[in-house]
Amino acid sequence: MYILLITVLVTAIFLVAAACVIAKLIGPRSYNKVKGETFECGIPTYGSSWIPMSVGYYLFAILFLMFDVETVFLYPWATVVGEYGAIAMASIGFFLVVLVLGLVYAWRKGALEWK
């Protein structure tokens, strides 16, 4: 039973290592000062790139990822809802209620507003 799992893991590790070694061997090499500089959209930066950013950007991104990942859980549920019937409907109903309450909480706290 475990021999198949070990074989898959060893094969995966070998393939990843082989891909990294091959890319290192045959990949183009270009080392220059400009390549190491920070840029955004092809425009060179002026001044320090380490400027403080508003915590609102991070909060918005975390909320987006949280709700995006939670909605991905709806797909496996949709595949088995026919087998479990009312129990599946009740569990996803509870899940969606918690999800909507989290959204309402974030909305009321003003986390979704750009200031």
Side-chain angles (χ1 to χ4, degrees), residues 72-88:
V72 168
F73 286 125
L74 294 176
Y75 290 108
W77 167 81
T79 61
V80 297
V81 70
E83 297 174 23
Y84 294 106
I87 295 173

Side-chain angles (χ1 to χ4, degrees), residues 83-106:
E83 297 174 23
Y84 294 106
I87 295 173
M89 292 299 283
S91 66
I92 203 63
F94 178 73
F95 178 77
L96 290 175
V97 165
V98 170
L99 190 67
V100 168
L101 286 175
L103 179 62
V104 168
Y105 177 78

Side-chain angles (χ1 to χ4, degrees), residues 8-26:
V8 169
L9 287 175
V10 168
T11 304
I13 291 170
F14 173 75
L15 289 175
V16 169
C20 290
V21 168
I22 291 170
K24 190 73 170 170
L25 291 175
I26 65 173

